[in-house]
Amino acid sequence: MSERRPETPAEVEGTAGLFVALGKMLKFLRERKGLTQKEFGELVGYGPDAISAMERGVRTLRPEVLIKADEVLDAGGLLLEVIPDVEAAMTKVRTRHPEWYRDYAGLEAEAVSLYDYSTMGVLGLLQTEDYARAVFTQRHPPLDEETIEKRVADRLSRQQLFEKWPPPECSFLIEQSVLERPIGGPSVHAGQLGRLLHIGRMRNVQLQVMPPGRYEHPCLDNGFTLLTPKGKEQVAYMESQGYPRLVTDREEVRVLAARYGIIRAQALNPYESLDLIEKMLEER
């Protein structure tokens, strides 16, 4: 029997326990202060869903959040004391991804532009926590609960890409069939559509839907991601049945970029795409 391949930074480095413990501490201090997740989130600049994820240890508590939280929650420097440990854990997550994913993860973290074409499911960077959990729960062969939670945590931690300043330029092309597939059930599906509307309205994001009625299509194949790390050339990344591939050959990247441009031209424009998602959400 082959050895199980580690899939996530938290799984490889054992950092998940730190963030679970910090999350419990944050929840205790918040409740002691008499604040709801929404009220506390408004004070530190995050929504209630993000605060909930932090308190459950499935989203990284960044140093800047700990600094604000220590003051808001009257923690007396307690949260400041753990910042060095958090920074060390974040460094491990950034630099010690599993070998099969490490190169892409490092490039994604420093990307100044990221373009993605999704054909089967919503891109991990755009997923809600519930959608991500449904995806990993439905994986075959089945994953154990601990592994599922670790992978959800790592997927959500990557979404801190949207919190960078200056933010990366992002373009997301999504096949309409992906939006129509209710992964996780009606409630999870509705939450995911709402998340896409939120992301699509960001100033640095263009989100477009590829409708099914087009007579021509330049890429009836797997989806792919194009990204440009700061100071480096554009690269591409794709996966097929669990086999990832980082593409650095200039000619291959050029071909994928050309395909992306054609798909982008054939898709609904960003305003039409958001209108479509809103309509889908209203009709549920």
mmCIF file with all atom_site columns, all heavy atoms in Angstrom, residues 120-146:
data_model
loop_
_atom_site.group_PDB
_atom_site.id
_atom_site.type_symbol
_atom_site.label_atom_id
_atom_site.label_alt_id
_atom_site.label_comp_id
_atom_site.label_asym_id
_atom_site.label_entity_id
_atom_site.label_seq_id
_atom_site.pdbx_PDB_ins_code
_atom_site.Cartn_x
_atom_site.Cartn_y
_atom_site.Cartn_z
_atom_site.occupancy
_atom_site.B_iso_or_equiv
_atom_site.pdbx_formal_charge
_atom_site.auth_seq_id
_atom_site.auth_comp_id
_atom_site.auth_asym_id
_atom_site.auth_atom_id
_atom_site.pdbx_PDB_model_num
ATOM 1   N N   . MET A 1 120 ? -15.814 22.862 -13.964 1.00 0.00 ? 120 MET A N   1
ATOM 2   C CA  . MET A 1 120 ? -16.525 21.812 -13.243 1.00 0.00 ? 120 MET A CA  1
ATOM 3   C C   . MET A 1 120 ? -17.035 22.247 -11.875 1.00 0.00 ? 120 MET A C   1
ATOM 4   O O   . MET A 1 120 ? -18.048 21.747 -11.396 1.00 0.00 ? 120 MET A O   1
ATOM 5   C CB  . MET A 1 120 ? -15.614 20.590 -13.077 1.00 0.00 ? 120 MET A CB  1
ATOM 6   C CG  . MET A 1 120 ? -15.191 19.954 -14.382 1.00 0.00 ? 120 MET A CG  1
ATOM 7   S SD  . MET A 1 120 ? -16.601 19.412 -15.391 1.00 0.00 ? 120 MET A SD  1
ATOM 8   C CE  . MET A 1 120 ? -17.269 18.132 -14.349 1.00 0.00 ? 120 MET A CE  1
ATOM 9   N N   . GLY A 1 121 ? -16.334 23.141 -11.228 1.00 0.00 ? 121 GLY A N   1
ATOM 10  C CA  . GLY A 1 121 ? -16.737 23.610 -9.903  1.00 0.00 ? 121 GLY A CA  1
ATOM 11  C C   . GLY A 1 121 ? -16.214 25.005 -9.669  1.00 0.00 ? 121 GLY A C   1
ATOM 12  O O   . GLY A 1 121 ? -15.381 25.510 -10.428 1.00 0.00 ? 121 GLY A O   1
ATOM 13  N N   . VAL A 1 122 ? -16.677 25.647 -8.625  1.00 0.00 ? 122 VAL A N   1
ATOM 14  C CA  . VAL A 1 122 ? -16.224 26.988 -8.284  1.00 0.00 ? 122 VAL A CA  1
ATOM 15  C C   . VAL A 1 122 ? -14.766 26.927 -7.827  1.00 0.00 ? 122 VAL A C   1
ATOM 16  O O   . VAL A 1 122 ? -14.376 26.034 -7.063  1.00 0.00 ? 122 VAL A O   1
ATOM 17  C CB  . VAL A 1 122 ? -17.104 27.593 -7.172  1.00 0.00 ? 122 VAL A CB  1
ATOM 18  C CG1 . VAL A 1 122 ? -16.563 28.951 -6.718  1.00 0.00 ? 122 VAL A CG1 1
ATOM 19  C CG2 . VAL A 1 122 ? -18.542 27.747 -7.668  1.00 0.00 ? 122 VAL A CG2 1
ATOM 20  N N   . LEU A 1 123 ? -13.957 27.842 -8.287  1.00 0.00 ? 123 LEU A N   1
ATOM 21  C CA  . LEU A 1 123 ? -12.552 27.920 -7.914  1.00 0.00 ? 123 LEU A CA  1
ATOM 22  C C   . LEU A 1 123 ? -12.405 28.023 -6.398  1.00 0.00 ? 123 LEU A C   1
ATOM 23  O O   . LEU A 1 123 ? -13.167 28.728 -5.729  1.00 0.00 ? 123 LEU A O   1
ATOM 24  C CB  . LEU A 1 123 ? -11.915 29.134 -8.589  1.00 0.00 ? 123 LEU A CB  1
ATOM 25  C CG  . LEU A 1 123 ? -10.436 29.405 -8.307  1.00 0.00 ? 123 LEU A CG  1
ATOM 26  C CD1 . LEU A 1 123 ? -9.572  28.316 -8.934  1.00 0.00 ? 123 LEU A CD1 1
ATOM 27  C CD2 . LEU A 1 123 ? -10.040 30.773 -8.844  1.00 0.00 ? 123 LEU A CD2 1
ATOM 28  N N   . GLY A 1 124 ? -11.396 27.343 -5.837  1.00 0.00 ? 124 GLY A N   1
ATOM 29  C CA  . GLY A 1 124 ? -11.191 27.351 -4.396  1.00 0.00 ? 124 GLY A CA  1
ATOM 30  C C   . GLY A 1 124 ? -11.093 28.750 -3.811  1.00 0.00 ? 124 GLY A C   1
ATOM 31  O O   . GLY A 1 124 ? -11.584 29.011 -2.710  1.00 0.00 ? 124 GLY A O   1
ATOM 32  N N   . LEU A 1 125 ? -10.462 29.678 -4.522  1.00 0.00 ? 125 LEU A N   1
ATOM 33  C CA  . LEU A 1 125 ? -10.324 31.048 -4.038  1.00 0.00 ? 125 LEU A CA  1
ATOM 34  C C   . LEU A 1 125 ? -11.665 31.748 -3.863  1.00 0.00 ? 125 LEU A C   1
ATOM 35  O O   . LEU A 1 125 ? -11.770 32.734 -3.133  1.00 0.00 ? 125 LEU A O   1
ATOM 36  C CB  . LEU A 1 125 ? -9.466  31.878 -5.008  1.00 0.00 ? 125 LEU A CB  1
ATOM 37  C CG  . LEU A 1 125 ? -7.956  31.711 -4.916  1.00 0.00 ? 125 LEU A CG  1
ATOM 38  C CD1 . LEU A 1 125 ? -7.279  32.497 -6.032  1.00 0.00 ? 125 LEU A CD1 1
ATOM 39  C CD2 . LEU A 1 125 ? -7.441  32.166 -3.558  1.00 0.00 ? 125 LEU A CD2 1
ATOM 40  N N   . LEU A 1 126 ? -12.699 31.245 -4.518  1.00 0.00 ? 126 LEU A N   1
ATOM 41  C CA  . LEU A 1 126 ? -14.013 31.888 -4.494  1.00 0.00 ? 126 LEU A CA  1
ATOM 42  C C   . LEU A 1 126 ? -15.021 31.122 -3.641  1.00 0.00 ? 126 LEU A C   1
ATOM 43  O O   . LEU A 1 126 ? -16.157 31.570 -3.487  1.00 0.00 ? 126 LEU A O   1
ATOM 44  C CB  . LEU A 1 126 ? -14.566 32.020 -5.920  1.00 0.00 ? 126 LEU A CB  1
ATOM 45  C CG  . LEU A 1 126 ? -13.659 32.679 -6.955  1.00 0.00 ? 126 LEU A CG  1
ATOM 46  C CD1 . LEU A 1 126 ? -14.367 32.737 -8.304  1.00 0.00 ? 126 LEU A CD1 1
ATOM 47  C CD2 . LEU A 1 126 ? -13.264 34.083 -6.514  1.00 0.00 ? 126 LEU A CD2 1
ATOM 48  N N   . GLN A 1 127 ? -14.640 30.001 -3.083  1.00 0.00 ? 127 GLN A N   1
ATOM 49  C CA  . GLN A 1 127 ? -15.592 29.146 -2.384  1.00 0.00 ? 127 GLN A CA  1
ATOM 50  C C   . GLN A 1 127 ? -15.931 29.660 -0.993  1.00 0.00 ? 127 GLN A C   1
ATOM 51  O O   . GLN A 1 127 ? -15.079 30.206 -0.296  1.00 0.00 ? 127 GLN A O   1
ATOM 52  C CB  . GLN A 1 127 ? -15.037 27.724 -2.271  1.00 0.00 ? 127 GLN A CB  1
ATOM 53  C CG  . GLN A 1 127 ? -14.955 26.989 -3.590  1.00 0.00 ? 127 GLN A CG  1
ATOM 54  C CD  . GLN A 1 127 ? -14.367 25.600 -3.440  1.00 0.00 ? 127 GLN A CD  1
ATOM 55  O OE1 . GLN A 1 127 ? -14.128 25.126 -2.330  1.00 0.00 ? 127 GLN A OE1 1
ATOM 56  N NE2 . GLN A 1 127 ? -14.121 24.937 -4.565  1.00 0.00 ? 127 GLN A NE2 1
ATOM 57  N N   . THR A 1 128 ? -17.168 29.454 -0.586  1.00 0.00 ? 128 THR A N   1
ATOM 58  C CA  . THR A 1 128 ? -17.537 29.672 0.809   1.00 0.00 ? 128 THR A CA  1
ATOM 59  C C   . THR A 1 128 ? -17.027 28.485 1.624   1.00 0.00 ? 128 THR A C   1
ATOM 60  O O   . THR A 1 128 ? -16.672 27.433 1.084   1.00 0.00 ? 128 THR A O   1
ATOM 61  C CB  . THR A 1 128 ? -19.056 29.760 0.995   1.00 0.00 ? 128 THR A CB  1
ATOM 62  O OG1 . THR A 1 128 ? -19.641 28.491 0.648   1.00 0.00 ? 128 THR A OG1 1
ATOM 63  C CG2 . THR A 1 128 ? -19.660 30.863 0.128   1.00 0.00 ? 128 THR A CG2 1
ATOM 64  N N   . GLU A 1 129 ? -17.015 28.655 2.925   1.00 0.00 ? 129 GLU A N   1
ATOM 65  C CA  . GLU A 1 129 ? -16.587 27.553 3.784   1.00 0.00 ? 129 GLU A CA  1
ATOM 66  C C   . GLU A 1 129 ? -17.490 26.335 3.615   1.00 0.00 ? 129 GLU A C   1
ATOM 67  O O   . GLU A 1 129 ? -17.018 25.190 3.537   1.00 0.00 ? 129 GLU A O   1
ATOM 68  C CB  . GLU A 1 129 ? -16.581 28.004 5.245   1.00 0.00 ? 129 GLU A CB  1
ATOM 69  C CG  . GLU A 1 129 ? -16.145 26.932 6.210   1.00 0.00 ? 129 GLU A CG  1
ATOM 70  C CD  . GLU A 1 129 ? -16.191 27.403 7.660   1.00 0.00 ? 129 GLU A CD  1
ATOM 71  O OE1 . GLU A 1 129 ? -16.189 28.614 7.905   1.00 0.00 ? 129 GLU A OE1 1
ATOM 72  O OE2 . GLU A 1 129 ? -16.237 26.528 8.555   1.00 0.00 ? 129 GLU A OE2 1
ATOM 73  N N   . ASP A 1 130 ? -18.803 26.559 3.541   1.00 0.00 ? 130 ASP A N   1
ATOM 74  C CA  . ASP A 1 130 ? -19.741 25.440 3.420   1.00 0.00 ? 130 ASP A CA  1
ATOM 75  C C   . ASP A 1 130 ? -19.581 24.718 2.086   1.00 0.00 ? 130 ASP A C   1
ATOM 76  O O   . ASP A 1 130 ? -19.674 23.487 2.014   1.00 0.00 ? 130 ASP A O   1
ATOM 77  C CB  . ASP A 1 130 ? -21.181 25.943 3.572   1.00 0.00 ? 130 ASP A CB  1
ATOM 78  C CG  . ASP A 1 130 ? -21.505 26.342 4.999   1.00 0.00 ? 130 ASP A CG  1
ATOM 79  O OD1 . ASP A 1 130 ? -20.808 25.869 5.923   1.00 0.00 ? 130 ASP A OD1 1
ATOM 80  O OD2 . ASP A 1 130 ? -22.451 27.140 5.196   1.00 0.00 ? 130 ASP A OD2 1
ATOM 81  N N   . TYR A 1 131 ? -19.358 25.484 1.019   1.00 0.00 ? 131 TYR A N   1
ATOM 82  C CA  . TYR A 1 131 ? -19.162 24.885 -0.306  1.00 0.00 ? 131 TYR A CA  1
ATOM 83  C C   . TYR A 1 131 ? -17.879 24.052 -0.308  1.00 0.00 ? 131 TYR A C   1
ATOM 84  O O   . TYR A 1 131 ? -17.869 22.917 -0.798  1.00 0.00 ? 131 TYR A O   1
ATOM 85  C CB  . TYR A 1 131 ? -19.095 25.983 -1.359  1.00 0.00 ? 131 TYR A CB  1
ATOM 86  C CG  . TYR A 1 131 ? -19.050 25.495 -2.795  1.00 0.00 ? 131 TYR A CG  1
ATOM 87  C CD1 . TYR A 1 131 ? -20.205 25.491 -3.584  1.00 0.00 ? 131 TYR A CD1 1
ATOM 88  C CD2 . TYR A 1 131 ? -17.868 25.066 -3.383  1.00 0.00 ? 131 TYR A CD2 1
ATOM 89  C CE1 . TYR A 1 131 ? -20.169 25.072 -4.910  1.00 0.00 ? 131 TYR A CE1 1
ATOM 90  C CE2 . TYR A 1 131 ? -17.813 24.641 -4.699  1.00 0.00 ? 131 TYR A CE2 1
ATOM 91  C CZ  . TYR A 1 131 ? -18.970 24.644 -5.459  1.00 0.00 ? 131 TYR A CZ  1
ATOM 92  O OH  . TYR A 1 131 ? -18.930 24.223 -6.767  1.00 0.00 ? 131 TYR A OH  1
ATOM 93  N N   . ALA A 1 132 ? -16.807 24.622 0.255   1.00 0.00 ? 132 ALA A N   1
ATOM 94  C CA  . ALA A 1 132 ? -15.542 23.891 0.305   1.00 0.00 ? 132 ALA A CA  1
ATOM 95  C C   . ALA A 1 132 ? -15.694 22.597 1.087   1.00 0.00 ? 132 ALA A C   1
ATOM 96  O O   . ALA A 1 132 ? -15.181 21.539 0.684   1.00 0.00 ? 132 ALA A O   1
ATOM 97  C CB  . ALA A 1 132 ? -14.462 24.770 0.941   1.00 0.00 ? 132 ALA A CB  1
ATOM 98  N N   . ARG A 1 133 ? -16.398 22.667 2.216   1.00 0.00 ? 133 ARG A N   1
ATOM 99  C CA  . ARG A 1 133 ? -16.585 21.464 3.031   1.00 0.00 ? 133 ARG A CA  1
ATOM 100 C C   . ARG A 1 133 ? -17.400 20.416 2.265   1.00 0.00 ? 133 ARG A C   1
ATOM 101 O O   . ARG A 1 133 ? -17.115 19.213 2.341   1.00 0.00 ? 133 ARG A O   1
ATOM 102 C CB  . ARG A 1 133 ? -17.264 21.815 4.348   1.00 0.00 ? 133 ARG A CB  1
ATOM 103 C CG  . ARG A 1 133 ? -17.406 20.614 5.283   1.00 0.00 ? 133 ARG A CG  1
ATOM 104 C CD  . ARG A 1 133 ? -17.864 21.001 6.675   1.00 0.00 ? 133 ARG A CD  1
ATOM 105 N NE  . ARG A 1 133 ? -16.807 21.700 7.417   1.00 0.00 ? 133 ARG A NE  1
ATOM 106 C CZ  . ARG A 1 133 ? -16.788 23.013 7.626   1.00 0.00 ? 133 ARG A CZ  1
ATOM 107 N NH1 . ARG A 1 133 ? -17.789 23.778 7.176   1.00 0.00 ? 133 ARG A NH1 1
ATOM 108 N NH2 . ARG A 1 133 ? -15.800 23.564 8.298   1.00 0.00 ? 133 ARG A NH2 1
ATOM 109 N N   . ALA A 1 134 ? -18.408 20.869 1.522   1.00 0.00 ? 134 ALA A N   1
ATOM 110 C CA  . ALA A 1 134 ? -19.210 19.934 0.730   1.00 0.00 ? 134 ALA A CA  1
ATOM 111 C C   . ALA A 1 134 ? -18.360 19.265 -0.347  1.00 0.00 ? 134 ALA A C   1
ATOM 112 O O   . ALA A 1 134 ? -18.477 18.057 -0.592  1.00 0.00 ? 134 ALA A O   1
ATOM 113 C CB  . ALA A 1 134 ? -20.390 20.676 0.088   1.00 0.00 ? 134 ALA A CB  1
ATOM 114 N N   . VAL A 1 135 ? -17.478 20.027 -0.978  1.00 0.00 ? 135 VAL A N   1
ATOM 115 C CA  . VAL A 1 135 ? -16.602 19.476 -2.008  1.00 0.00 ? 135 VAL A CA  1
ATOM 116 C C   . VAL A 1 135 ? -15.712 18.382 -1.434  1.00 0.00 ? 135 VAL A C   1
ATOM 117 O O   . VAL A 1 135 ? -15.594 17.279 -2.000  1.00 0.00 ? 135 VAL A O   1
ATOM 118 C CB  . VAL A 1 135 ? -15.737 20.592 -2.628  1.00 0.00 ? 135 VAL A CB  1
ATOM 119 C CG1 . VAL A 1 135 ? -14.632 19.992 -3.500  1.00 0.00 ? 135 VAL A CG1 1
ATOM 120 C CG2 . VAL A 1 135 ? -16.598 21.535 -3.457  1.00 0.00 ? 135 VAL A CG2 1
ATOM 121 N N   . PHE A 1 136 ? -15.084 18.659 -0.291  1.00 0.00 ? 136 PHE A N   1
ATOM 122 C CA  . PHE A 1 136 ? -14.176 17.675 0.293   1.00 0.00 ? 136 PHE A CA  1
ATOM 123 C C   . PHE A 1 136 ? -14.941 16.500 0.901   1.00 0.00 ? 136 PHE A C   1
ATOM 124 O O   . PHE A 1 136 ? -14.444 15.369 0.909   1.00 0.00 ? 136 PHE A O   1
ATOM 125 C CB  . PHE A 1 136 ? -13.293 18.333 1.347   1.00 0.00 ? 136 PHE A CB  1
ATOM 126 C CG  . PHE A 1 136 ? -12.240 19.238 0.768   1.00 0.00 ? 136 PHE A CG  1
ATOM 127 C CD1 . PHE A 1 136 ? -12.139 20.561 1.161   1.00 0.00 ? 136 PHE A CD1 1
ATOM 128 C CD2 . PHE A 1 136 ? -11.364 18.768 -0.195  1.00 0.00 ? 136 PHE A CD2 1
ATOM 129 C CE1 . PHE A 1 136 ? -11.170 21.396 0.626   1.00 0.00 ? 136 PHE A CE1 1
ATOM 130 C CE2 . PHE A 1 136 ? -10.390 19.593 -0.745  1.00 0.00 ? 136 PHE A CE2 1
ATOM 131 C CZ  . PHE A 1 136 ? -10.288 20.905 -0.327  1.00 0.00 ? 136 PHE A CZ  1
ATOM 132 N N   . THR A 1 137 ? -16.142 16.735 1.407   1.00 0.00 ? 137 THR A N   1
ATOM 133 C CA  . THR A 1 137 ? -16.936 15.653 1.983   1.00 0.00 ? 137 THR A CA  1
ATOM 134 C C   . THR A 1 137 ? -17.385 14.677 0.903   1.00 0.00 ? 137 THR A C   1
ATOM 135 O O   . THR A 1 137 ? -17.506 13.464 1.156   1.00 0.00 ? 137 THR A O   1
ATOM 136 C CB  . THR A 1 137 ? -18.168 16.227 2.712   1.00 0.00 ? 137 THR A CB  1
ATOM 137 O OG1 . THR A 1 137 ? -17.735 17.099 3.761   1.00 0.00 ? 137 THR A OG1 1
ATOM 138 C CG2 . THR A 1 137 ? -19.017 15.132 3.315   1.00 0.00 ? 137 THR A CG2 1
ATOM 139 N N   . GLN A 1 138 ? -17.619 15.193 -0.298  1.00 0.00 ? 138 GLN A N   1
ATOM 140 C CA  . GLN A 1 138 ? -18.088 14.356 -1.397  1.00 0.00 ? 138 GLN A CA  1
ATOM 141 C C   . GLN A 1 138 ? -16.946 13.680 -2.160  1.00 0.00 ? 138 GLN A C   1
ATOM 142 O O   . GLN A 1 138 ? -17.196 12.890 -3.078  1.00 0.00 ? 138 GLN A O   1
ATOM 143 C CB  . GLN A 1 138 ? -18.924 15.202 -2.357  1.00 0.00 ? 138 GLN A CB  1
ATOM 144 C CG  . GLN A 1 138 ? -20.198 15.749 -1.736  1.00 0.00 ? 138 GLN A CG  1
ATOM 145 C CD  . GLN A 1 138 ? -20.855 16.823 -2.579  1.00 0.00 ? 138 GLN A CD  1
ATOM 146 O OE1 . GLN A 1 138 ? -20.515 17.013 -3.739  1.00 0.00 ? 138 GLN A OE1 1
ATOM 147 N NE2 . GLN A 1 138 ? -21.813 17.541 -1.999  1.00 0.00 ? 138 GLN A NE2 1
ATOM 148 N N   . ARG A 1 139 ? -15.706 13.972 -1.786  1.00 0.00 ? 139 ARG A N   1
ATOM 149 C CA  . ARG A 1 139 ? -14.548 13.399 -2.474  1.00 0.00 ? 139 ARG A CA  1
ATOM 150 C C   . ARG A 1 139 ? -14.548 11.875 -2.367  1.00 0.00 ? 139 ARG A C   1
ATOM 151 O O   . ARG A 1 139 ? -14.924 11.323 -1.335  1.00 0.00 ? 139 ARG A O   1
ATOM 152 C CB  . ARG A 1 139 ? -13.273 13.975 -1.851  1.00 0.00 ? 139 ARG A CB  1
ATOM 153 C CG  . ARG A 1 139 ? -11.970 13.571 -2.535  1.00 0.00 ? 139 ARG A CG  1
ATOM 154 C CD  . ARG A 1 139 ? -11.817 14.179 -3.913  1.00 0.00 ? 139 ARG A CD  1
ATOM 155 N NE  . ARG A 1 139 ? -11.870 15.634 -3.883  1.00 0.00 ? 139 ARG A NE  1
ATOM 156 C CZ  . ARG A 1 139 ? -10.830 16.429 -3.648  1.00 0.00 ? 139 ARG A CZ  1
ATOM 157 N NH1 . ARG A 1 139 ? -9.650  15.895 -3.380  1.00 0.00 ? 139 ARG A NH1 1
ATOM 158 N NH2 . ARG A 1 139 ? -10.947 17.732 -3.688  1.00 0.00 ? 139 ARG A NH2 1
ATOM 159 N N   . HIS A 1 140 ? -14.146 11.207 -3.457  1.00 0.00 ? 140 HIS A N   1
ATOM 160 C CA  . HIS A 1 140 ? -14.063 9.739  -3.440  1.00 0.00 ? 140 HIS A CA  1
ATOM 161 C C   . HIS A 1 140 ? -12.670 9.319  -3.878  1.00 0.00 ? 140 HIS A C   1
ATOM 162 O O   . HIS A 1 140 ? -12.160 9.817  -4.877  1.00 0.00 ? 140 HIS A O   1
ATOM 163 C CB  . HIS A 1 140 ? -15.102 9.124  -4.377  1.00 0.00 ? 140 HIS A CB  1
ATOM 164 C CG  . HIS A 1 140 ? -15.119 7.622  -4.316  1.00 0.00 ? 140 HIS A CG  1
ATOM 165 N ND1 . HIS A 1 140 ? -15.792 6.939  -3.327  1.00 0.00 ? 140 HIS A ND1 1
ATOM 166 C CD2 . HIS A 1 140 ? -14.528 6.687  -5.100  1.00 0.00 ? 140 HIS A CD2 1
ATOM 167 C CE1 . HIS A 1 140 ? -15.615 5.643  -3.516  1.00 0.00 ? 140 HIS A CE1 1
ATOM 168 N NE2 . HIS A 1 140 ? -14.859 5.477  -4.587  1.00 0.00 ? 140 HIS A NE2 1
ATOM 169 N N   . PRO A 1 141 ? -12.027 8.406  -3.135  1.00 0.00 ? 141 PRO A N   1
ATOM 170 C CA  . PRO A 1 141 ? -12.513 7.753  -1.914  1.00 0.00 ? 141 PRO A CA  1
ATOM 171 C C   . PRO A 1 141 ? -12.665 8.752  -0.765  1.00 0.00 ? 141 PRO A C   1
ATOM 172 O O   . PRO A 1 141 ? -12.015 9.795  -0.763  1.00 0.00 ? 141 PRO A O   1
ATOM 173 C CB  . PRO A 1 141 ? -11.437 6.710  -1.614  1.00 0.00 ? 141 PRO A CB  1
ATOM 174 C CG  . PRO A 1 141 ? -10.233 7.185  -2.335  1.00 0.00 ? 141 PRO A CG  1
ATOM 175 C CD  . PRO A 1 141 ? -10.682 7.933  -3.532  1.00 0.00 ? 141 PRO A CD  1
ATOM 176 N N   . PRO A 1 142 ? -13.519 8.418  0.217   1.00 0.00 ? 142 PRO A N   1
ATOM 177 C CA  . PRO A 1 142 ? -13.854 9.373  1.282   1.00 0.00 ? 142 PRO A CA  1
ATOM 178 C C   . PRO A 1 142 ? -12.641 9.798  2.104   1.00 0.00 ? 142 PRO A C   1
ATOM 179 O O   . PRO A 1 142 ? -11.705 9.027  2.298   1.00 0.00 ? 142 PRO A O   1
ATOM 180 C CB  . PRO A 1 142 ? -14.862 8.598  2.144   1.00 0.00 ? 142 PRO A CB  1
ATOM 181 C CG  . PRO A 1 142 ? -15.411 7.543  1.237   1.00 0.00 ? 142 PRO A CG  1
ATOM 182 C CD  . PRO A 1 142 ? -14.279 7.157  0.340   1.00 0.00 ? 142 PRO A CD  1
ATOM 183 N N   . LEU A 1 143 ? -12.693 11.032 2.601   1.00 0.00 ? 143 LEU A N   1
ATOM 184 C CA  . LEU A 1 143 ? -11.672 11.566 3.492   1.00 0.00 ? 143 LEU A CA  1
ATOM 185 C C   . LEU A 1 143 ? -12.187 11.516 4.924   1.00 0.00 ? 143 LEU A C   1
ATOM 186 O O   . LEU A 1 143 ? -13.396 11.638 5.155   1.00 0.00 ? 143 LEU A O   1
ATOM 187 C CB  . LEU A 1 143 ? -11.350 13.017 3.120   1.00 0.00 ? 143 LEU A CB  1
ATOM 188 C CG  . LEU A 1 143 ? -10.879 13.274 1.675   1.00 0.00 ? 143 LEU A CG  1
ATOM 189 C CD1 . LEU A 1 143 ? -10.771 14.775 1.434   1.00 0.00 ? 143 LEU A CD1 1
ATOM 190 C CD2 . LEU A 1 143 ? -9.554  12.594 1.416   1.00 0.00 ? 143 LEU A CD2 1
ATOM 191 N N   . ASP A 1 144 ? -11.299 11.374 5.898   1.00 0.00 ? 144 ASP A N   1
ATOM 192 C CA  . ASP A 1 144 ? -11.734 11.404 7.287   1.00 0.00 ? 144 ASP A CA  1
ATOM 193 C C   . ASP A 1 144 ? -12.030 12.846 7.686   1.00 0.00 ? 144 ASP A C   1
ATOM 194 O O   . ASP A 1 144 ? -11.595 13.806 7.034   1.00 0.00 ? 144 ASP A O   1
ATOM 195 C CB  . ASP A 1 144 ? -10.674 10.792 8.204   1.00 0.00 ? 144 ASP A CB  1
ATOM 196 C CG  . ASP A 1 144 ? -9.358  11.549 8.162   1.00 0.00 ? 144 ASP A CG  1
ATOM 197 O OD1 . ASP A 1 144 ? -9.256  12.605 8.790   1.00 0.00 ? 144 ASP A OD1 1
ATOM 198 O OD2 . ASP A 1 144 ? -8.423  11.080 7.484   1.00 0.00 ? 144 ASP A OD2 1
ATOM 199 N N   . GLU A 1 145 ? -12.767 13.028 8.774   1.00 0.00 ? 145 GLU A N   1
ATOM 200 C CA  . GLU A 1 145 ? -13.245 14.351 9.173   1.00 0.00 ? 145 GLU A CA  1
ATOM 201 C C   . GLU A 1 145 ? -12.099 15.318 9.469   1.00 0.00 ? 145 GLU A C   1
ATOM 202 O O   . GLU A 1 145 ? -12.165 16.501 9.131   1.00 0.00 ? 145 GLU A O   1
ATOM 203 C CB  . GLU A 1 145 ? -14.159 14.231 10.403  1.00 0.00 ? 145 GLU A CB  1
ATOM 204 C CG  . GLU A 1 145 ? -15.474 13.522 10.131  1.00 0.00 ? 145 GLU A CG  1
ATOM 205 C CD  . GLU A 1 145 ? -16.281 14.219 9.046   1.00 0.00 ? 145 GLU A CD  1
ATOM 206 O OE1 . GLU A 1 145 ? -16.342 15.470 9.058   1.00 0.00 ? 145 GLU A OE1 1
ATOM 207 O OE2 . GLU A 1 145 ? -16.850 13.521 8.190   1.00 0.00 ? 145 GLU A OE2 1
ATOM 208 N N   . GLU A 1 146 ? -11.047 14.825 10.107  1.00 0.00 ? 146 GLU A N   1
ATOM 209 C CA  . GLU A 1 146 ? -9.917  15.707 10.434  1.00 0.00 ? 146 GLU A CA  1
ATOM 210 C C   . GLU A 1 146 ? -9.257  16.240 9.168   1.00 0.00 ? 146 GLU A C   1
ATOM 211 O O   . GLU A 1 146 ? -8.928  17.422 9.070   1.00 0.00 ? 146 GLU A O   1
ATOM 212 C CB  . GLU A 1 146 ? -8.893  14.948 11.284  1.00 0.00 ? 146 GLU A CB  1
ATOM 213 C CG  . GLU A 1 146 ? -7.704  15.812 11.699  1.00 0.00 ? 146 GLU A CG  1
ATOM 214 C CD  . GLU A 1 146 ? -6.693  15.049 12.526  1.00 0.00 ? 146 GLU A CD  1
ATOM 215 O OE1 . GLU A 1 146 ? -6.893  13.831 12.739  1.00 0.00 ? 146 GLU A OE1 1
ATOM 216 O OE2 . GLU A 1 146 ? -5.705  15.674 12.947  1.00 0.00 ? 146 GLU A OE2 1
#
